């Protein structure tokens, strides 16, 4: 093993090395220093070639997982709106054009950094209904059921409308009606169906077809043909009500009535000792639950990495702490090994493992659990964890768990305006199309965010995450999330990078790696986004790598040192913006079909 690893750390480093050169400063037209970039080198087997270009805009830009939504945000920027206006417009547009993840029936997180230095984090995560109980998803024998994943019982209280309206109220410069206008027009005029959209609908036909969405998305018994236009008049009417009456229309008015009616339609209350099929279980969201929902303003987590400052999301998101902790551990190494090398992947995996152990055992809704935030994000604590990393040997996980599932269930977007205001947003229904429950008359899908709780502490959820009692189900509680909207400032305190992702716990690993790619490996934004990634989340005890992203020799070396390498189709889908000479570059992940739009 020792000789084999010697080859891995020597000869095998060179072919994939991204040249590591000293920091060079160049000034853009505004006199702000812009670090030079270094050409990346990827394996020949990797599906994305280095050297691509991102979308450039000299003034303001929006990057999102769907181009029509990014264009809606850019429309608001061109009309004189600020970054918050555009971020809210983009989020509502995603509910129309990207219904598998964009939503009115889910929730999310937002990190804001205004040009005058003000910062804020908005937690508009769904909460458990008042009738929720710890063991509500267990059968009579104490075994987990699928009730937290499919059917009406899996929905938390939808939070997106309340959160977006609150951000607009506090930091926006336009009216809610103005920023909703692009989404309303998009719903009325329709979204053009491409091959990816049609294939996705067909993949999720059973989930969608179990509820009222079948008539909308499968007219005549089939998904719309490629090139067809799908109009959403019910959703347009809902958006108009929100534009006219504000969030009260959603949480207290006719839309609230529609949500509650759907919770009890064609379902059965479970009898003691009898397992009712999930699709027939009643939901428990009431009008009182809806009227009582409130988003929470929080202080962003602020940490540093090699002189750069990170502003990211605190709990009930785990993303900010886990990204920060991973980077804190890595920062103690004088420099990162070359990109793609055995040692780089080893150190990254070991740092992720230690951060995810704390993530899965210590983090939860801060209203229910005392979070040791200062300790978990401290450099001293990271130093202690770093000392436990063996130079070449992977540390095995304490126990095993079932295999990690794959999915891309959230959707991020980032916005920068011409004044330098910046917003990073991530929103979700949890699973694609949530639980499939479609609110008839209102035109949107409900979330299945209740699965982000530990339905049975100590057992894996849909992402293979094994979480503790601190994240058990409780009334009014926010489930732990992996969403990681992040803003990075350069060593001078100037806005530098915005990034967020989708993909459950892989959000955390992908966001961290993009930051490392840009800061340590000096990649361009396009290369940093396209670069192959790995993922480790403590349990299951495997290191997942994107197919084609590592050479067989590198995989063999890592395997021989205890990394238990497993291929996967993808590690995260991200949207990001970076400052460059003369303006901004923005892009959606090449693994997706979105894009950026600016002016």
């Amino acid at each position: 093993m020792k000789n084999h690893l010697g080859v891995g750390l020597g000869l095998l480093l060179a072919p994939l090395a991204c040249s590591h050169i000293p920091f060079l400063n160049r000034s853009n037209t505004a006199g702000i220093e812009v670090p030079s970039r270094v050409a990346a080198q990827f394996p020949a087997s990797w599906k994305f070639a280095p050297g691509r270009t991102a979308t450039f805009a000299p003034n303001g830009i929006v990057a999102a997982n769907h181009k029509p939504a990014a264009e809606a945000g850019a429309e608001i920027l061109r009309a004189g709106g600020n970054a918050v206006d555009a971020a809210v417009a983009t989020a509502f547009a995603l509910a129309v054009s990207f219904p598998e993840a964009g939503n009115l029936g889910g929730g999310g997180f937002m990190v804001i950094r205004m040009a005058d230095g003000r910062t804020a984090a908005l937690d508009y995560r769904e909460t458990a209904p008042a009738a929720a109980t710890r063991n509500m998803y267990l059968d009579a024998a104490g075994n987990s059921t699928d009730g937290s994943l499919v059917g009406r019982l899996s929905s938390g209280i939808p939070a997106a409308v309340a959160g977006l309206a609150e951000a607009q109220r506090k930091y926006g410069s336009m009216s809610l009606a103005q920023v909703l206008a692009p989404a309303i027009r998009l719903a009325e005029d329709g979204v053009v169906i491409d091959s990816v959209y049609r294939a996705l609908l067909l993949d999720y036909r059973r989930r969608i077809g179990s509820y009222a969405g079948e008539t909308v998305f499968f007219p005549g018994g089939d998904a719309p043909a490629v090139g067809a236009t799908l109009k959403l008049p019910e959703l347009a009417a809902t958006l108009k009500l929100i534009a006219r009456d504000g969030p009260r229309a959603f949480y207290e008015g006719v839309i609230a009535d529609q949500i509650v009616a759907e919770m009890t339609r064609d379902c059965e209350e479970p009898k003691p000792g009898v397992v009712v099929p999930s699709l027939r279980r009643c939901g428990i969201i009431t009008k009182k639950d809806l009227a009582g929902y409130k988003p929470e303003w929080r202080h962003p987590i602020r940490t540093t990495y090699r002189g750069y400052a990170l502003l990211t999301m605190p709990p009930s998101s785990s993303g900010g702490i886990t990204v920060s902790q991973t980077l804190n551990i890595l920062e103690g190494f004088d420099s990162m090994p070359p990109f793609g090398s055995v040692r780089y992947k080893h150190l990254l995996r070991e740092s992720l493992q230690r951060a995810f152990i704390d993530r899965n055992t210590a983090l939860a809704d801060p209203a229910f659990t005392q979070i040791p935030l200062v300790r978990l994000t401290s450099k001293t604590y990271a130093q202690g964890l770093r000392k436990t990393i063996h130079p070449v040997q992977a540390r095995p996980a304490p126990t095993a768990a079932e295999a990690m599932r794959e999915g891309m269930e959230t959707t991020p977007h980032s916005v920068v305006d011409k004044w330098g205001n910046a917003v990073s947003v991530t929103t979700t229904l949890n699973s694609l199309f949530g639980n499939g429950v479609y609110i008839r008359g209102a035109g949107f899908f409900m979330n299945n965010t209740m699965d982000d709780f530990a339905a049975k502490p100590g057992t894996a959820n849909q992402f293979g995450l094994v979480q503790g009692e601190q994240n058990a189900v409780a009334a009014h509680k926010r489930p732990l999330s992996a969403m990681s909207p992040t803003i990075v400032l350069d060593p001078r305190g100037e806005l530098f990078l915005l990034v967020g992702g989708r993909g459950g716990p892989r959000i955390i690993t992908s966001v961290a790696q993009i930051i490392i790619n840009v800061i340590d490996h000096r990649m361009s934004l396009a290369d940093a986004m396209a670069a192959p990634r790995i993922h480790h989340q403590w349990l299951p005890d495997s290191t997942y790598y994107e197919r084609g992203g590592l050479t067989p020799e590198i995989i063999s070396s890592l395997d021989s040192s205890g990394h238990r390498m497993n291929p996967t189709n993808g590690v995260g889908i991200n949207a990001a913006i970076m400052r460059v000479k003369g303006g901004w570059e923005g892009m959606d992940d090449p693994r997706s079909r979105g894009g950026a739009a600016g002016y």
Side-chain angles (χ1 to χ4, degrees):
M1 181 183 295
K2 184 175 181 180
N3 290 337
H4 187 51
L5 283 173
V7 173
L9 294 175
L11 297 177
L12 295 179
L13 295 183
L16 300 181
C18 173
S19 302
H20 206 72
I21 66 172
F23 182 96
L24 297 175
N25 289 326
R26 296 177 182 173
S27 297
N28 66 9
T29 55
I32 299 172
E33 293 179 347
V34 178
S36 61
R37 300 291 104 194
V38 176
Q41 296 179 36
F42 303 151
S45 56
W46 183 233
K47 56 189 172 183
F48 303 121
R52 297 185 181 196
T53 58
T55 299
F56 173 79
N59 298 301
I61 193 167
V62 182
N65 282 161
H66 205 224
K67 188 68 176 288
E71 290 170 343
E75 175 184 330
I76 294 298
L77 291 179
R78 286 192 296 270
N82 68 17
V84 176
D85 298 318
V88 172
T90 302
F92 278 115
L94 283 165
V96 180
S97 69
F98 202 65
E100 63 265 42
N103 66 84
L104 302 186
F109 299 95
M110 183 182 297
V111 176
I112 299 169
R113 197 255 188 182
M114 303 301 286
D116 60 9
R118 287 177 295 159
T119 63
L122 183 59
D123 179 338
Y124 57 104
R125 180 68 157 159
E126 306 92 324
T127 57
T133 60
R134 181 190 183 281
N135 297 326
M136 63 189 288
Y137 299 116
L138 306 183
D139 63 19
N143 298 314
S144 298
T145 68
D146 65 353
S148 65
L149 272 174
V150 296
R152 299 169 175 87
L153 192 63
S154 63
S155 287
I157 299 164
V161 173
L164 295 172
E166 175 63 10
Q168 185 66 28
R169 179 196 68 78
K170 189 167 183 178
Y171 288 101
S173 66
M174 292 180 164
S175 69
L176 189 60
Q178 286 175 300
V179 299
L180 274 162
I184 293 170
R185 187 175 65 248
L186 191 61
E188 289 181 328
D189 294 346
V191 177
V192 177
I193 301 296
D194 58 20
S195 59
V196 176
Y197 197 159
R198 175 175 165 81
L200 190 65
L201 288 174
L202 293 174
D203 284 345
Y204 283 81
R205 179 166 190 166
R206 183 183 178 197
R207 178 171 295 185
I208 298 169
S210 299
Y211 301 98
E214 181 175 29
T215 59
V216 176
F217 293 95
F218 297 93
D222 191 15
V226 174
T229 299
L230 178 63
K231 297 182 179 181
L232 301 170
E234 290 183 341
L235 182 54
T238 293
L239 294 171
K240 287 179 179 178
L241 282 174
I242 297 169
R244 188 189 72 187
D245 300 332
R248 288 185 59 184
F250 190 94
Y251 292 94
E252 300 177 30
V254 63
I255 305 167
D257 291 331
Q258 291 166 327
I259 293 170
V260 173
E262 193 61 41
M263 289 294 102
T264 56
R265 193 186 305 273
D266 302 326
C267 63
E268 294 179 0
E269 292 287 0
K271 299 178 178 63
V274 177
V275 178
V276 178
S278 297
L279 297 180
R280 300 182 66 194
R281 291 189 183 119
C282 290
I284 55 175
I285 295 175
T286 66
K287 283 199 73 172
K288 185 176 180 181
D289 287 327
L290 291 164
Y293 180 80
K294 295 291 186 296
E296 294 285 345
W297 285 105
R298 306 192 189 278
H299 296 293
I301 292 173
R302 185 182 178 108
T303 59
T304 60
Y305 181 66
R306 304 195 191 279
Y308 291 75
L310 275 68
L311 301 170
T312 189
M313 198 69 209
S316 60
S317 171
S318 67
I321 289 179
T322 312
V323 169
S324 298
Q325 191 175 359
T326 301
L327 296 178
N328 282 344
I329 295 169
L330 291 170
E331 188 179 38
F333 299 101
D334 290 338
S335 63
M336 289 299 290
F339 179 81
S341 66
V342 169
R343 181 160 172 77
Y344 172 60
K345 300 301 183 186
H346 170 72
L347 295 181
L348 179 59
R349 181 268 189 194
E350 293 295 283
S351 300
L352 288 168
Q353 184 206 56
R354 286 151 178 78
F356 265 94
I357 288 174
D358 283 334
R359 186 256 181 220
N360 294 353
T361 59
L363 303 185
D365 185 343
F368 288 76
T369 301
Q370 186 68 34
I371 308 294
L373 190 151
V374 174
R375 176 173 65 87
L376 294 178
T377 58
S378 76
K379 304 292 186 180
T380 301
Y381 181 65
Q383 181 182 19
L385 294 175
R386 187 166 52 252
K387 289 179 179 178
T388 69
I389 297 177
H390 190 276
V392 295
Q393 194 69 30
R395 180 177 74 170
T399 58
E402 58 188 290
M404 184 186 74
R405 285 84 158 189
E406 295 189 19
M408 297 294 171
E409 294 74 18
T410 57
T411 182
H413 60 280
S414 298
V415 185
V416 176
D417 64 30
K418 65 182 179 181
W419 299 286
N421 302 305
V423 184
S424 183
V425 184
T426 309
T427 185
T428 190
L429 285 168
N430 203 31
S431 295
L432 291 179
F433 298 103
N435 54 16
V437 176
Y438 190 79
I439 306 301
R440 64 194 77 199
F444 60 86
F445 290 98
M446 290 291 285
N447 68 83
N448 61 353
T449 299
M450 295 295 284
D451 190 66
D452 275 352
F453 285 115
K456 184 178 181 180
T459 62
N461 69 0
Q462 68 168 319
F463 301 113
L465 287 169
V466 179
Q467 303 173 101
E469 186 66 36
Q470 83 283 353
N471 195 37
V473 180
H476 308 299
K477 189 176 184 180
R478 285 168 157 82
L480 191 63
S481 170
M483 289 183 273
S484 310
T486 301
I487 296 174
V488 180
L489 310 179
D490 71 11
R492 293 181 57 184
E494 302 288 349
L495 185 63
F496 175 61
L497 177 71
L498 292 82
V499 61
R502 60 187 298 209
R506 288 161 294 165
I507 296 171
I508 294 167
T509 53
S510 61
V511 166
Q513 286 170 86
I514 290 169
I515 293 170
I516 293 167
N517 290 345
V518 168
I519 293 177
D520 287 292
H521 301 304
R522 302 295 178 206
M523 292 185 191
S524 67
L525 180 62
D527 285 351
M529 295 279 278
R533 303 167 187 151
I534 65 167
H535 174 74
H536 196 282
Q537 60 183 45
W538 174 35
L539 294 173
D541 188 13
S542 292
T543 301
Y544 293 87
Y545 65 93
E546 295 181 303
R547 288 182 176 86
L550 297 176
T551 65
E553 294 84 0
I554 296 287
I555 296 168
S556 178
S557 285
L558 290 167
D559 251 329
S560 68
S561 61
H563 282 273
R564 299 181 62 182
M565 303 299 290
N566 280 294
T568 186
N569 289 332
V571 175
I573 290 179
N574 302 78
I577 294 170
M578 190 169 81
R579 193 182 72 234
V580 296
K581 186 176 181 178
W584 308 95
E585 283 187 345
M587 64 180 293
D588 181 49
D589 204 298
R591 298 161 182 80
S592 185
R593 69 185 199 275
Y599 76 109

